[in-house]
Amino acid sequence: MSGVYARRMGIAVASAALAATSGLLTAPTAQAAMPTPVAASTARTYLSELTVSAEGSSSGYSRDLFPHWITQSGACDTREVVLKRDGTNVTQNSSCSAVSGTWYSQYDGATWTAASDLDIDHMVPLAEAWRSGASGWTTAKRQSFANDLTRPQLIAVTDNVNQSKGDQDPAEWLPSRTAYRCTYARAWVHVKHYYGLTVDSAEKSALQSVLNGC
């Protein structure tokens, strides 16, 4: 467990305890960011190390095979932890639900003040992971992947933007906010490399193109 992650979880534990006694709590100003992905130079190296393979079948895929959102601490599940992490001045109730705060969506540059306007995006979508090797994983490993707070795999973004992304890879979809595309590609490669997932040829070309411009 990294020091940053340990501190975050320590804050979550302390916050849950405070919520139990005070009903409402106000989080300190958040870092407002997912874990920093590897540098572009490292991402280019990682990309060259990924196995290039045609995408597998979606046969047998179900989101239920990637259990989420799991409890992280007290009443806080993964979604609520990410909402608190990615927002600014987030207030949570005793159930750990975000009741106020401000969130900036990196994908489209929109700012929101209601948690209901945010989805937690899986950087590498669950179905994409399934077709890239996760179909052969244990359920426990798929659960870890779907709730990974240590790698740059989870980020709070505008809900309909996340829905438009769906399970597409970077050859098919990139954030409309071009300033974020370098970070997006670095994060995508970071996650795929860590989990040993494959890339298809079009996906690899798209990622190379973005990373070469970083």
Side-chain angles (χ1 to χ4, degrees):
M1 179 180 295
S2 73
V4 172
Y5 182 64
R7 287 196 298 275
R8 284 180 186 147
M9 292 315 299
I11 290 168
V13 170
S15 296
L18 179 60
T21 59
S22 63
L24 289 175
L25 60 98
T26 301
T29 300
Q31 183 178 340
M34 68 180 181
T36 303
V38 293
S41 57
T42 302
R44 287 191 287 268
T45 298
Y46 281 4
L47 182 59
S48 71
E49 294 171 352
L50 293 178
T51 298
V52 179
S53 177
E55 279 197 354
S57 170
S58 293
S59 177
Y61 168 73
S62 168
R63 288 178 67 85
D64 292 341
L65 295 172
F66 294 79
H68 66 287
W69 304 112
I70 63 169
T71 299
Q72 293 290 340
S73 176
C76 301
D77 66 16
T78 307
R79 172 180 165 82
E80 297 301 339
V81 170
V82 175
L83 283 172
K84 180 180 176 183
R85 182 199 72 190
D86 288 5
T88 302
N89 296 324
V90 176
T91 300
Q92 297 171 306
N93 64 19
S94 59
S95 299
C96 204
S97 297
V99 294
S100 67
T102 302
W103 291 268
Y104 179 78
S105 173
Q106 296 285 358
Y107 288 179
D108 59 332
T111 298
W112 302 100
T113 57
S116 58
D117 289 319
L118 284 300
D119 275 358
I120 307 305
D121 179 44
H122 289 96
M123 177 63 61
V124 176
L126 305 183
E128 162 69 23
W130 179 268
R131 298 189 296 266
S132 304
S135 60
W137 293 353
T138 63
T139 300
K141 184 172 181 179
R142 288 193 289 263
Q143 175 175 294
S144 295
F145 175 82
N147 297 275
D148 191 346
L149 293 165
T150 306
R151 262 64 54 180
Q153 165 66 347
L154 300 173
I155 184 171
V157 296
T158 303
D159 53 5
N160 62 345
V161 172
N162 178 53
Q163 291 151 25
S164 71
K165 171 184 171 178
D167 63 354
Q168 298 177 93
D169 69 34
E172 303 157 324
W173 188 93
L174 287 167
S176 61
R177 183 170 165 259
T178 56
Y180 197 69
R181 289 182 178 179
C182 180
T183 303
Y184 187 86
R186 288 159 49 209
W188 184 282
V189 173
H190 185 157
V191 171
K192 280 218 160 180
H193 186 270
Y194 180 83
Y195 283 98
L197 295 168
T198 62
V199 289
D200 64 47
S201 56
E203 175 187 356
K204 182 175 182 178
S205 294
L207 289 163
Q208 284 176 325
S209 178
V210 174
L211 291 171
N212 286 341
C214 292

